[in-house]
Coordinates of all heavy atoms in Angstrom, one line a residue:
M1 N -17.1 9.4 1.9 CA -15.9 8.9 1.1 C -16.2 7.5 0.6 O -16.7 6.6 1.4 CB -14.7 8.9 2.0 CG -13.4 8.6 1.2 SD -12.0 8.9 2.2 CE -12.0 7.6 3.4
K2 N -16.0 7.3 -0.6 CA -16.2 6.1 -1.3 C -15.0 5.1 -0.9 O -13.9 5.5 -1.0 CB -16.2 6.4 -2.8 CG -16.5 5.4 -3.7 CD -16.9 6.0 -5.1 CE -15.8 6.9 -5.6 NZ -15.9 7.1 -7.1
K3 N -15.4 3.9 -0.6 CA -14.3 2.9 -0.3 C -14.4 1.7 -1.1 O -15.5 1.2 -1.3 CB -14.3 2.5 1.2 CG -13.6 3.5 2.1 CD -13.3 2.9 3.4 CE -12.5 3.9 4.3 NZ -12.3 3.4 5.6
I4 N -13.3 1.2 -1.6 CA -13.3 0.0 -2.4 C -12.6 -1.1 -1.7 O -11.4 -0.9 -1.3 CB -12.8 0.3 -3.8 CG1 -13.6 1.3 -4.5 CG2 -12.7 -1.0 -4.6 CD1 -13.3 1.6 -6.0
N5 N -13.2 -2.2 -1.5 CA -12.6 -3.3 -0.8 C -12.9 -4.6 -1.5 O -14.0 -5.1 -1.4 CB -13.2 -3.3 0.7 CG -12.4 -4.3 1.5 OD1 -11.3 -4.7 1.2 ND2 -13.0 -4.8 2.6
E6 N -11.9 -5.0 -2.3 CA -12.2 -6.1 -3.2 C -10.9 -6.9 -3.4 O -9.8 -6.4 -3.2 CB -12.8 -5.7 -4.5 CG -11.9 -4.7 -5.3 CD -12.6 -4.0 -6.4 OE1 -13.8 -4.3 -6.6 OE2 -11.9 -3.2 -7.0
P7 N -11.0 -8.2 -3.7 CA -9.8 -9.0 -3.9 C -9.2 -8.5 -5.2 O -9.8 -8.1 -6.1 CB -10.4 -10.4 -4.1 CG -11.8 -10.4 -4.0 CD -12.3 -9.0 -3.8
F8 N -7.8 -8.6 -5.2 CA -7.1 -8.3 -6.4 C -5.9 -9.1 -6.6 O -5.3 -9.6 -5.6 CB -6.8 -6.8 -6.5 CG -5.7 -6.3 -5.5 CD1 -4.4 -6.2 -6.0 CD2 -6.0 -6.1 -4.2 CE1 -3.4 -5.8 -5.1 CE2 -5.0 -5.7 -3.3 CZ -3.7 -5.6 -3.8
T9 N -5.4 -9.2 -7.8 CA -4.1 -9.9 -8.1 C -3.0 -8.8 -8.3 O -3.2 -7.9 -9.1 CB -4.2 -10.8 -9.3 OG1 -5.3 -11.7 -9.1 CG2 -3.0 -11.5 -9.6
C10 N -1.9 -9.0 -7.6 CA -0.9 -8.0 -7.6 C -0.2 -7.9 -9.0 O 0.1 -8.9 -9.6 CB 0.2 -8.3 -6.6 SG 1.6 -7.2 -6.6
K11 N -0.1 -6.7 -9.5 CA 0.5 -6.5 -10.8 C 2.0 -6.6 -10.8 O 2.7 -6.7 -11.8 CB 0.1 -5.2 -11.4 CG -1.3 -5.1 -11.8 CD -1.5 -4.0 -12.9 CE -2.8 -4.1 -13.6 NZ -3.9 -3.5 -12.9
N12 N 2.6 -6.6 -9.6 CA 4.1 -6.7 -9.4 C 4.5 -8.1 -9.2 O 5.4 -8.6 -9.9 CB 4.5 -5.8 -8.3 CG 6.0 -5.8 -8.1 OD1 6.8 -5.5 -9.1 ND2 6.5 -6.2 -7.0
C13 N 3.9 -8.9 -8.3 CA 4.4 -10.2 -8.0 C 3.4 -11.3 -8.3 O 3.7 -12.5 -8.2 CB 4.9 -10.3 -6.5 SG 3.5 -10.3 -5.4
G14 N 2.2 -11.0 -8.6 CA 1.2 -12.0 -8.9 C 0.4 -12.6 -7.8 O -0.4 -13.5 -7.9
E15 N 0.7 -12.1 -6.6 CA 0.0 -12.6 -5.4 C -1.5 -12.3 -5.4 O -1.9 -11.2 -5.8 CB 0.6 -11.9 -4.1 CG -0.1 -12.1 -2.8 CD 0.2 -13.5 -2.2 OE1 1.0 -14.3 -2.7 OE2 -0.3 -13.7 -1.1
K16 N -2.3 -13.3 -5.1 CA -3.7 -13.1 -5.1 C -4.1 -12.6 -3.7 O -4.0 -13.4 -2.7 CB -4.5 -14.4 -5.5 CG -4.4 -14.7 -6.9 CD -5.3 -15.9 -7.3 CE -5.2 -16.1 -8.8 NZ -3.9 -16.6 -9.2
N17 N -4.6 -11.4 -3.6 CA -4.9 -10.8 -2.3 C -6.4 -10.9 -2.1 O -7.2 -10.4 -2.8 CB -4.5 -9.4 -2.3 CG -3.0 -9.2 -2.2 OD1 -2.4 -9.1 -1.1 ND2 -2.3 -9.1 -3.4
P18 N -6.8 -11.6 -1.0 CA -8.2 -11.6 -0.6 C -8.6 -10.3 0.0 O -7.7 -9.5 0.4 CB -8.3 -12.7 0.4 CG -7.0 -12.8 1.0 CD -6.0 -12.3 0.0
K19 N -9.9 -10.0 0.0 CA -10.2 -8.7 0.6 C -10.0 -8.7 2.1 O -10.1 -9.8 2.7 CB -11.6 -8.3 0.2 CG -12.7 -9.1 0.8 CD -14.1 -8.5 0.4 CE -15.2 -9.3 1.1 NZ -16.5 -8.6 0.8
V20 N -9.8 -7.6 2.7 CA -9.7 -7.6 4.2 C -11.0 -7.2 4.8 O -11.8 -6.4 4.3 CB -8.6 -6.6 4.6 CG1 -7.2 -7.2 4.7 CG2 -8.5 -5.3 3.8
E21 N -11.2 -7.7 6.0 CA -12.4 -7.5 6.7 C -12.6 -6.1 7.3 O -13.5 -5.4 7.1 CB -12.6 -8.5 7.9 CG -12.7 -9.9 7.4 CD -13.9 -10.1 6.4 OE1 -15.0 -9.5 6.7 OE2 -13.8 -10.8 5.4
K22 N -11.5 -5.7 8.1 CA -11.7 -4.4 8.8 C -11.3 -3.2 8.1 O -11.9 -2.1 8.4 CB -10.9 -4.5 10.1 CG -11.6 -5.3 11.2 CD -10.7 -5.5 12.4 CE -9.8 -6.6 12.2 NZ -8.9 -6.9 13.3
S23 N -10.4 -3.3 7.2 CA -10.0 -2.0 6.5 C -10.1 -2.1 5.0 O -10.8 -3.0 4.5 CB -8.6 -1.6 6.9 OG -7.7 -2.7 6.6
C24 N -9.5 -1.3 4.3 CA -9.6 -1.2 2.9 C -8.2 -1.5 2.2 O -7.3 -0.8 2.4 CB -10.0 0.2 2.6 SG -10.2 0.6 0.9
R25 N -8.1 -2.7 1.6 CA -6.8 -3.1 1.1 C -6.5 -2.3 -0.2 O -7.3 -2.3 -1.1 CB -6.8 -4.6 0.8 CG -5.3 -5.0 0.5 CD -5.3 -6.4 0.0 NE -5.8 -7.5 0.8 CZ -5.3 -8.0 1.8 NH1 -4.1 -7.6 2.2 NH2 -5.8 -9.0 2.5
N26 N -5.3 -1.7 -0.2 CA -5.0 -1.0 -1.4 C -3.5 -1.3 -1.8 O -3.0 -0.7 -2.7 CB -5.1 0.5 -1.3 CG -4.3 1.1 -0.1 OD1 -3.5 0.3 0.5 ND2 -4.6 2.3 0.3
H27 N -3.0 -2.3 -1.2 CA -1.6 -2.7 -1.6 C -1.5 -4.2 -1.4 O -2.3 -4.9 -0.7 CB -0.5 -2.0 -0.8 CG -0.7 -2.1 0.6 ND1 -1.4 -1.2 1.4 CD2 -0.2 -3.0 1.5 CE1 -1.3 -1.6 2.7 NE2 -0.7 -2.7 2.8
C28 N -0.5 -4.8 -2.1 CA -0.2 -6.2 -2.0 C 0.3 -6.6 -0.6 O 1.2 -6.0 -0.1 CB 0.8 -6.6 -3.1 SG 1.3 -8.3 -3.1
R29 N -0.2 -7.7 -0.1 CA 0.2 -8.1 1.3 C 1.6 -8.8 1.2 O 2.3 -8.9 2.2 CB -0.8 -9.1 1.9 CG -0.9 -10.4 1.1 CD -1.9 -11.3 1.7 NE -2.1 -12.5 0.9 CZ -2.8 -13.6 1.2 NH1 -3.4 -13.6 2.4 NH2 -2.9 -14.6 0.4
K30 N 2.0 -9.2 0.1 CA 3.3 -9.9 0.0 C 4.5 -8.9 -0.4 O 5.4 -8.8 0.4 CB 3.2 -11.0 -1.1 CG 4.4 -11.9 -1.1 CD 4.1 -13.0 -2.1 CE 5.3 -13.9 -2.4 NZ 5.2 -14.7 -3.6
C31 N 4.4 -8.2 -1.5 CA 5.5 -7.3 -1.9 C 5.2 -5.9 -1.5 O 6.1 -5.0 -1.6 CB 5.8 -7.4 -3.4 SG 4.5 -6.8 -4.4
L32 N 4.0 -5.6 -1.0 CA 3.6 -4.3 -0.6 C 3.4 -3.2 -1.6 O 3.2 -2.1 -1.4 CB 4.5 -3.8 0.6 CG 4.8 -4.7 1.8 CD1 5.7 -4.0 2.7 CD2 3.5 -5.0 2.5
Y33 N 3.6 -3.6 -2.9 CA 3.3 -2.7 -4.0 C 1.9 -2.3 -4.1 O 1.0 -3.1 -3.7 CB 3.8 -3.3 -5.3 CG 5.2 -3.0 -5.7 CD1 6.2 -3.6 -4.9 CD2 5.6 -2.2 -6.7 CE1 7.6 -3.4 -5.2 CE2 6.9 -2.0 -7.0 CZ 7.9 -2.6 -6.2 OH 9.2 -2.4 -6.5
S34 N 1.7 -1.1 -4.5 CA 0.3 -0.6 -4.7 C 0.1 0.0 -6.1 O 1.0 -0.1 -6.9 CB 0.1 0.6 -3.6 OG -1.2 1.1 -3.7
L35 N -1.0 0.5 -6.4 CA -1.3 1.1 -7.7 C -1.7 2.5 -7.5 O -2.5 2.8 -6.5 CB -2.4 0.4 -8.4 CG -2.0 -0.9 -9.3 CD1 -3.2 -1.4 -10.0 CD2 -0.9 -0.6 -10.3
H36 N -1.2 3.4 -8.3 CA -1.6 4.8 -8.2 C -3.0 5.0 -8.8 O -3.2 5.4 -9.9 CB -0.6 5.7 -8.9 CG -0.8 7.1 -8.6 ND1 0.0 8.1 -9.2 CD2 -1.6 7.8 -7.7 CE1 -0.4 9.3 -8.7 NE2 -1.4 9.1 -7.8
V37 N -4.0 4.8 -8.0 CA -5.4 4.9 -8.4 C -6.1 6.0 -7.7 O -7.1 6.5 -8.1 CB -6.2 3.6 -8.3 CG1 -5.7 2.6 -9.3 CG2 -6.1 3.0 -6.9
D38 N -5.5 6.4 -6.5 CA -6.2 7.5 -5.7 C -5.5 8.8 -6.0 O -4.3 9.0 -6.0 CB -6.1 7.2 -4.2 CG -6.8 5.9 -3.9 OD1 -7.8 5.5 -4.6 OD2 -6.5 5.3 -2.9
K39 N -6.4 9.8 -6.2 CA -5.8 11.1 -6.5 C -5.6 12.0 -5.2 O -4.5 12.3 -4.9 CB -6.8 11.9 -7.4 CG -6.2 13.1 -8.1 CD -7.3 13.6 -9.0 CE -6.8 14.9 -9.7 NZ -7.9 15.5 -10.5
N40 N -6.6 12.2 -4.5 CA -6.5 13.1 -3.3 C -6.7 12.4 -2.0 O -5.9 12.5 -1.0 CB -7.4 14.3 -3.4 CG -7.1 15.2 -4.6 OD1 -5.9 15.5 -4.8 ND2 -8.1 15.5 -5.4
T41 N -7.7 11.6 -1.9 CA -8.0 10.9 -0.7 C -7.9 9.4 -0.9 O -8.3 8.9 -2.0 CB -9.4 11.2 -0.1 OG1 -10.3 11.1 -1.1 CG2 -9.4 12.6 0.4
P42 N -7.5 8.6 0.1 CA -7.4 7.1 -0.1 C -8.8 6.6 -0.5 O -9.8 6.9 0.2 CB -7.0 6.6 1.2 CG -6.4 7.8 1.9 CD -7.1 9.0 1.4
G43 N -8.9 5.8 -1.6 CA -10.1 5.2 -2.0 C -10.9 6.0 -3.0 O -12.0 5.6 -3.4
D44 N -10.5 7.2 -3.3 CA -11.3 8.0 -4.3 C -11.2 7.4 -5.7 O -12.1 7.6 -6.5 CB -11.0 9.5 -4.2 CG -9.6 9.9 -4.7 OD1 -8.9 9.1 -5.4 OD2 -9.2 11.0 -4.5
R45 N -10.1 6.7 -6.0 CA -9.9 6.0 -7.3 C -10.0 7.0 -8.5 O -10.6 6.6 -9.5 CB -10.9 4.9 -7.5 CG -10.8 3.7 -6.5 CD -9.4 3.1 -6.6 NE -9.3 1.8 -5.9 CZ -8.9 1.7 -4.6 NH1 -8.6 2.8 -3.9 NH2 -8.8 0.5 -4.0
E46 N -9.6 8.2 -8.3 CA -9.8 9.2 -9.4 C -8.5 9.6 -10.1 O -8.5 10.4 -11.0 CB -10.4 10.5 -8.8 CG -11.9 10.3 -8.9 CD -12.7 11.3 -8.0 OE1 -12.1 12.3 -7.7 OE2 -13.9 11.1 -7.8
S47 N -7.4 8.9 -9.8 CA -6.2 9.2 -10.5 C -6.2 8.6 -11.8 O -6.7 7.5 -12.0 CB -5.0 8.7 -9.7 OG -3.8 8.8 -10.4
S48 N -5.6 9.3 -12.8 CA -5.5 8.7 -14.2 C -4.2 8.1 -14.4 O -3.9 7.5 -15.5 CB -5.8 9.8 -15.2 OG -4.9 10.9 -15.0
C49 N -3.3 8.1 -13.4 CA -2.0 7.6 -13.5 C -1.9 6.0 -13.6 O -1.4 5.5 -14.6 CB -1.1 8.0 -12.3 SG 0.6 7.6 -12.4
K50 N -2.5 5.3 -12.6 CA -2.7 3.9 -12.6 C -1.3 3.1 -12.8 O -1.3 2.0 -13.2 CB -3.6 3.4 -13.7 CG -5.0 4.1 -13.7 CD -6.1 3.2 -13.3 CE -7.5 3.8 -13.4 NZ -7.7 5.2 -13.4
S51 N -0.2 3.7 -12.4 CA 1.0 3.0 -12.4 C 1.3 2.3 -11.1 O 0.7 2.6 -10.1 CB 2.2 4.1 -12.7 OG 1.9 4.6 -14.0
L52 N 2.3 1.5 -11.1 CA 2.7 0.8 -9.9 C 3.4 1.7 -8.9 O 4.1 2.6 -9.3 CB 3.8 -0.3 -10.3 CG 3.4 -1.7 -10.6 CD1 4.6 -2.6 -10.9 CD2 2.6 -2.3 -9.3
M53 N 3.0 1.5 -7.7 CA 3.6 2.3 -6.6 C 4.5 1.4 -5.8 O 4.0 0.4 -5.3 CB 2.5 3.0 -5.8 CG 1.7 4.0 -6.6 SD 0.7 5.0 -5.5 CE 1.8 6.3 -5.0
E54 N 5.7 1.9 -5.6 CA 6.7 1.1 -4.9 C 6.7 1.5 -3.4 O 6.6 2.6 -3.1 CB 8.0 1.4 -5.5 CG 9.2 1.0 -4.8 CD 10.5 1.4 -5.5 OE1 10.5 2.6 -6.0 OE2 11.4 0.6 -5.6
P55 N 6.8 0.5 -2.5 CA 6.8 0.8 -1.1 C 8.2 1.4 -0.8 O 9.2 0.8 -0.9 CB 6.7 -0.5 -0.3 CG 7.0 -1.5 -1.3 CD 6.8 -1.0 -2.7
S56 N 8.3 2.7 -0.6 CA 9.6 3.4 -0.4 C 10.1 3.4 1.0 O 11.3 3.3 1.2 CB 9.6 4.8 -1.0 OG 8.6 5.6 -0.3
Q57 N 9.2 3.5 1.9 CA 9.6 3.6 3.3 C 8.4 3.2 4.2 O 7.3 3.4 3.9 CB 10.0 5.1 3.6 CG 11.1 5.2 4.7 CD 11.2 6.6 5.3 OE1 10.8 7.5 4.6 NE2 11.6 6.7 6.5
T58 N 8.7 2.8 5.4 CA 7.7 2.5 6.4 C 8.0 3.2 7.7 O 9.2 3.5 8.0 CB 7.5 1.0 6.7 OG1 8.8 0.5 7.1 CG2 7.0 0.2 5.5
A59 N 7.1 3.5 8.5 CA 7.3 4.2 9.8 C 6.2 3.8 10.8 O 5.1 3.6 10.4 CB 7.3 5.7 9.6
Q60 N 6.6 3.7 12.0 CA 5.7 3.4 13.1 C 5.2 4.7 13.7 O 6.0 5.6 14.1 CB 6.3 2.6 14.1 CG 5.3 1.8 14.9 CD 5.9 0.8 15.9 OE1 7.1 0.8 16.1 NE2 5.1 -0.1 16.4
T61 N 3.9 5.0 13.6 CA 3.3 6.2 14.1 C 2.4 5.9 15.3 O 1.6 5.0 15.2 CB 2.5 6.9 13.1 OG1 1.4 6.1 12.7 CG2 3.3 7.3 11.8
G62 N 2.6 6.6 16.4 CA 1.8 6.4 17.6 C 0.6 5.5 17.6 O 0.8 4.3 17.5
K63 N -0.6 6.0 17.5 CA -1.8 5.3 17.7 C -2.2 4.5 16.4 O -2.8 3.5 16.5 CB -2.9 6.2 18.0 CG -2.9 6.5 19.5 CD -4.1 7.4 19.8 CE -4.0 8.0 21.2 NZ -4.6 9.3 21.3
K64 N -1.8 5.0 15.3 CA -2.3 4.4 14.0 C -1.5 3.2 13.6 O -1.9 2.5 12.7 CB -2.2 5.4 12.9 CG -3.2 6.5 12.9 CD -3.1 7.4 11.8 CE -4.1 8.6 11.8 NZ -3.7 9.7 10.9
G65 N -0.4 2.9 14.3 CA 0.4 1.7 13.9 C 1.3 2.0 12.8 O 1.8 3.2 12.6
W66 N 1.6 1.0 11.9 CA 2.6 1.2 10.8 C 1.9 1.9 9.6 O 0.8 1.6 9.3 CB 3.1 -0.2 10.5 CG 4.1 -0.7 11.5 CD1 3.8 -1.4 12.6 CD2 5.5 -0.5 11.5 NE1 5.0 -1.7 13.3 CE2 6.0 -1.1 12.6 CE3 6.4 0.2 10.6 CZ2 7.4 -1.1 12.9 CZ3 7.8 0.2 10.9 CH2 8.3 -0.5 12.1
I67 N 2.8 2.7 9.0 CA 2.4 3.4 7.8 C 3.4 3.0 6.7 O 4.6 2.9 6.9 CB 2.4 4.9 8.0 CG1 1.5 5.3 9.1 CG2 2.2 5.7 6.7 CD1 0.0 5.5 8.7
I68 N 2.9 2.7 5.5 CA 3.8 2.5 4.3 C 3.7 3.7 3.4 O 2.6 4.2 3.1 CB 3.4 1.3 3.5 CG1 3.3 0.0 4.4 CG2 4.3 1.1 2.3 CD1 2.7 -1.2 3.6
Y69 N 4.8 4.3 3.1 CA 4.8 5.4 2.1 C 5.0 4.8 0.7 O 6.1 4.2 0.4 CB 5.9 6.4 2.4 CG 5.6 7.1 3.7 CD1 6.1 6.7 4.9 CD2 4.8 8.2 3.7 CE1 5.8 7.3 6.1 CE2 4.5 8.9 4.9 CZ 5.0 8.5 6.1 OH 4.7 9.1 7.2
H70 N 4.0 4.9 -0.1 CA 4.1 4.4 -1.5 C 4.5 5.5 -2.4 O 3.9 6.6 -2.4 CB 2.8 3.8 -1.9 CG 2.5 2.5 -1.4 ND1 1.5 2.3 -0.4 CD2 3.0 1.3 -1.6 CE1 1.5 1.0 -0.1 NE2 2.4 0.3 -0.8
K71 N 5.5 5.2 -3.2 CA 6.0 6.2 -4.2 C 5.7 5.7 -5.6 O 6.1 4.6 -6.0 CB 7.5 6.4 -4.1 CG 8.0 7.5 -4.9 CD 9.5 7.8 -4.7 CE 9.9 8.9 -5.6 NZ 11.3 9.1 -5.6
C72 N 5.0 6.5 -6.4 CA 4.6 6.1 -7.8 C 5.9 6.0 -8.6 O 6.7 6.9 -8.7 CB 3.7 7.1 -8.3 SG 3.1 6.7 -10.0
T73 N 6.0 4.9 -9.4 CA 7.1 4.7 -10.2 C 7.1 5.5 -11.5 O 8.1 5.7 -12.2 CB 7.3 3.2 -10.6 OG1 6.0 2.8 -11.2 CG2 7.6 2.3 -9.5
K74 N 6.0 6.1 -11.8 CA 5.8 7.0 -12.9 C 5.9 8.5 -12.6 O 6.7 9.2 -13.1 CB 4.5 6.6 -13.7 CG 4.4 7.2 -15.1 CD 3.1 6.8 -15.7 CE 2.9 7.6 -17.0 NZ 1.5 7.4 -17.4
C75 N 5.0 8.9 -11.8 CA 4.9 10.4 -11.5 C 5.6 10.8 -10.2 O 5.7 12.0 -10.0 CB 3.4 10.8 -11.6 SG 2.5 10.3 -10.2
G76 N 6.0 9.8 -9.4 CA 6.7 10.2 -8.2 C 5.9 10.6 -7.0 O 6.5 11.0 -6.0
K77 N 4.6 10.6 -7.1 CA 3.7 11.0 -6.0 C 3.9 10.0 -4.8 O 4.0 8.8 -5.0 CB 2.3 11.0 -6.4 CG 1.3 11.6 -5.4 CD -0.1 11.8 -5.9 CE -1.1 12.1 -4.9 NZ -1.0 13.5 -4.4
I78 N 3.9 10.5 -3.6 CA 4.1 9.7 -2.4 C 2.8 9.7 -1.7 O 2.2 10.8 -1.4 CB 5.3 10.1 -1.6 CG1 6.6 9.9 -2.3 CG2 5.3 9.4 -0.2 CD1 7.8 10.5 -1.7
I79 N 2.2 8.5 -1.4 CA 1.0 8.4 -0.6 C 1.2 7.5 0.6 O 1.6 6.4 0.4 CB -0.2 7.9 -1.5 CG1 -0.4 8.8 -2.7 CG2 -1.5 7.7 -0.7 CD1 -1.5 8.3 -3.7
P80 N 0.9 8.0 1.8 CA 1.0 7.1 3.0 C -0.2 6.2 3.1 O -1.3 6.6 2.8 CB 1.0 8.1 4.1 CG 0.4 9.4 3.6 CD 0.5 9.4 2.1
N81 N 0.0 5.0 3.5 CA -1.0 4.0 3.6 C -0.9 3.2 4.9 O 0.2 2.9 5.4 CB -1.0 3.0 2.5 CG -1.6 3.5 1.2 OD1 -2.8 3.8 1.2 ND2 -0.8 3.7 0.2
K82 N -2.0 2.9 5.5 CA -2.0 2.1 6.7 C -1.7 0.6 6.3 O -2.1 0.1 5.3 CB -3.4 2.1 7.4 CG -3.5 3.1 8.5 CD -4.7 2.8 9.4 CE -5.9 3.4 8.7 NZ -7.1 3.2 9.6
V83 N -1.0 0.0 7.2 CA -0.6 -1.4 7.1 C -1.8 -2.3 7.4 O -2.5 -2.0 8.4 CB 0.6 -1.7 7.9 CG1 0.8 -3.2 8.2 CG2 1.9 -1.1 7.4
A84 N -2.0 -3.4 6.7 CA -3.1 -4.3 7.0 C -2.6 -5.4 7.9 O -1.4 -5.6 8.0 CB -3.7 -4.9 5.7
D85 N -3.5 -6.1 8.6 CA -3.1 -7.1 9.5 C -2.2 -8.2 9.0 O -1.4 -8.8 9.6 CB -4.4 -7.8 10.2 CG -5.1 -6.8 11.1 OD1 -4.5 -5.8 11.5 OD2 -6.2 -7.1 11.4
D86 N -2.5 -8.6 7.7 CA -1.8 -9.7 7.2 C -0.7 -9.3 6.2 O -0.2 -10.1 5.4 CB -2.7 -10.7 6.5 CG -3.5 -10.0 5.4 OD1 -3.5 -8.8 5.2 OD2 -4.2 -10.7 4.6
D87 N -0.2 -8.0 6.3 CA 0.9 -7.6 5.4 C 2.2 -8.3 5.8 O 2.4 -8.7 6.9 CB 1.1 -6.1 5.6 CG 0.1 -5.3 4.7 OD1 -0.6 -5.9 3.9 OD2 0.1 -4.1 4.8
N88 N 3.1 -8.4 4.9 CA 4.4 -9.0 5.0 C 5.2 -8.2 6.0 O 5.9 -7.2 5.6 CB 5.1 -9.1 3.7 CG 6.4 -9.7 3.7 OD1 7.0 -10.0 4.8 ND2 6.9 -10.1 2.5
F89 N 5.2 -8.6 7.3 CA 5.8 -7.8 8.3 C 7.4 -7.7 8.2 O 7.9 -6.7 8.5 CB 5.4 -8.2 9.7 CG 5.4 -7.1 10.7 CD1 4.6 -6.0 10.6 CD2 6.4 -7.2 11.7 CE1 4.7 -5.0 11.5 CE2 6.4 -6.1 12.7 CZ 5.6 -5.0 12.6
E90 N 8.0 -8.8 7.7 CA 9.4 -8.7 7.5 C 9.8 -7.6 6.6 O 10.8 -6.9 6.8 CB 9.9 -10.1 7.0 CG 10.2 -11.1 8.0 CD 10.5 -12.4 7.4 OE1 11.2 -12.5 6.4 OE2 10.0 -13.4 8.0
K91 N 9.0 -7.5 5.5 CA 9.3 -6.5 4.5 C 9.1 -5.1 5.1 O 9.8 -4.1 4.8 CB 8.3 -6.7 3.4 CG 8.5 -5.8 2.2 CD 9.4 -6.4 1.1 CE 9.6 -5.4 0.0 NZ 10.7 -5.7 -0.8
I92 N 8.1 -4.9 5.9 CA 7.8 -3.7 6.6 C 9.0 -3.2 7.5 O 9.4 -2.1 7.4 CB 6.5 -3.7 7.4 CG1 5.3 -3.9 6.4 CG2 6.3 -2.5 8.3 CD1 4.0 -4.3 7.1
I93 N 9.5 -4.2 8.3 CA 10.6 -3.9 9.1 C 11.9 -3.5 8.3 O 12.6 -2.6 8.6 CB 11.0 -5.2 10.0 CG1 9.8 -5.5 10.9 CG2 12.3 -4.9 10.8 CD1 9.5 -4.5 12.0
E94 N 12.0 -4.3 7.2 CA 13.2 -4.0 6.3 C 13.1 -2.6 5.8 O 14.1 -1.9 5.8 CB 13.1 -5.0 5.2 CG 14.3 -5.2 4.3 CD 14.0 -6.2 3.2 OE1 13.6 -7.3 3.5 OE2 14.1 -5.7 2.0
L95 N 11.9 -2.1 5.4 CA 11.8 -0.8 4.8 C 11.9 0.3 5.9 O 12.0 1.5 5.5 CB 10.5 -0.7 4.1 CG 10.4 -1.5 2.7 CD1 9.0 -1.6 2.3 CD2 11.2 -0.8 1.7
S96 N 11.8 0.0 7.1 CA 11.8 1.0 8.2 C 13.3 1.3 8.5 O 13.5 2.3 9.2 CB 11.1 0.5 9.4 OG 11.8 -0.5 10.1
Q97 N 14.2 0.5 8.1 CA 15.6 0.8 8.3 C 16.1 1.8 7.3 O 15.8 1.7 6.1 CB 16.5 -0.5 8.2 CG 15.9 -1.8 8.8 CD 15.9 -1.7 10.4 OE1 16.8 -1.1 10.9 NE2 14.9 -2.3 11.0
P98 N 16.9 2.7 7.8 CA 17.5 3.7 6.8 C 18.4 2.9 5.8 O 19.1 2.0 6.2 CB 18.3 4.6 7.7 CG 18.1 4.2 9.1 CD 17.4 2.9 9.1
T99 N 18.4 3.3 4.6 CA 19.2 2.6 3.6 C 20.7 2.9 3.7 O 21.0 4.1 4.0 CB 18.7 2.9 2.1 OG1 18.4 4.3 2.1 CG2 17.5 2.1 1.8
K100 N 21.5 1.9 3.6 CA 22.9 2.2 3.8 C 23.7 2.4 2.5 O 23.2 1.9 1.5 CB 23.5 1.0 4.6 CG 23.0 0.9 6.0 CD 23.5 -0.3 6.7 CE 22.7 -0.5 8.0 NZ 22.0 -1.8 8.0
Ligands
ZN1 ZN1 2.7 -8.2 -4.9
ZN2 ZN1 1.5 8.2 -10.5

C-alpha cells in the first residue's frame, strides 16, 4: 500500500499542517477536515472527487483509539480515519457527543 505523508495547508481553515512522524496525516489537525482523495483504501489517492470532507462523527474504539468519520461534502462518502497525536482533541470530544 502506497502511503503519502507530507505537509499540507488546510483548504477549509488555512492551518499549515506539518507532516506526522508515526502515521499518515490525511486531515487537518485544527478543524479536522479532510479531502476526498482516497477511493478504496486510505492513502491510495485514487479518488477523482477531491472535495472537502467534513468530520461528521468521532468514536473511541478499543485498541485503535479515536476514529474520525469523514463525510464528503460532495458525494457523501464516509471514510473512517485514525486520529493523529496532535489533532484538536476538544473538537474530537465535541464530535463524539450525540447532536441535540
Ligand atoms: Zn483545517
Ligand atoms: Zn467525494
Side-chain angles (χ1 to χ4, degrees):
M1 189 170 72
K2 184 164 58 157
K3 276 196 176 174
I4 298 185
N5 189 20
E6 57 195 359
F8 72 97
T9 302
C10 178
K11 287 202 165 87
N12 182 56
C13 75
E15 170 81 357
K16 288 190 177 63
N17 288 270
K19 67 175 187 175
V20 271
E21 295 304 321
K22 277 173 283 179
S23 59
C24 181
R25 193 192 299 282
N26 57 10
H27 56 268
C28 175
R29 61 179 175 175
K30 192 175 169 197
C31 70
L32 307 178
Y33 271 66
S34 183
L35 275 184
H36 191 186
V37 288
D38 297 335
K39 196 175 177 189
N40 297 312
T41 51
D44 69 15
R45 297 298 191 268
E46 271 166 17
S47 173
S48 53
C49 183
K50 310 251 189 330
S51 298
L52 266 178
M53 296 190 82
E54 169 182 40
S56 60
Q57 213 199 332
T58 55
Q60 201 172 14
T61 62
K63 282 181 191 149
K64 285 182 186 164
W66 286 87
I67 300 280
I68 305 174
Y69 292 93
H70 283 111
K71 187 177 180 190
C72 182
T73 53
K74 191 178 169 196
C75 71
K77 187 174 170 73
I78 294 173
I79 301 179
N81 278 296
K82 262 195 283 183
V83 163
D85 289 346
D86 58 352
D87 278 352
N88 183 348
F89 206 65
E90 273 173 40
K91 183 95 182 161
I92 291 166
I93 297 294
E94 199 184 299
L95 288 166
S96 70
Q97 316 292 329
T99 41
K100 289 173 195 122

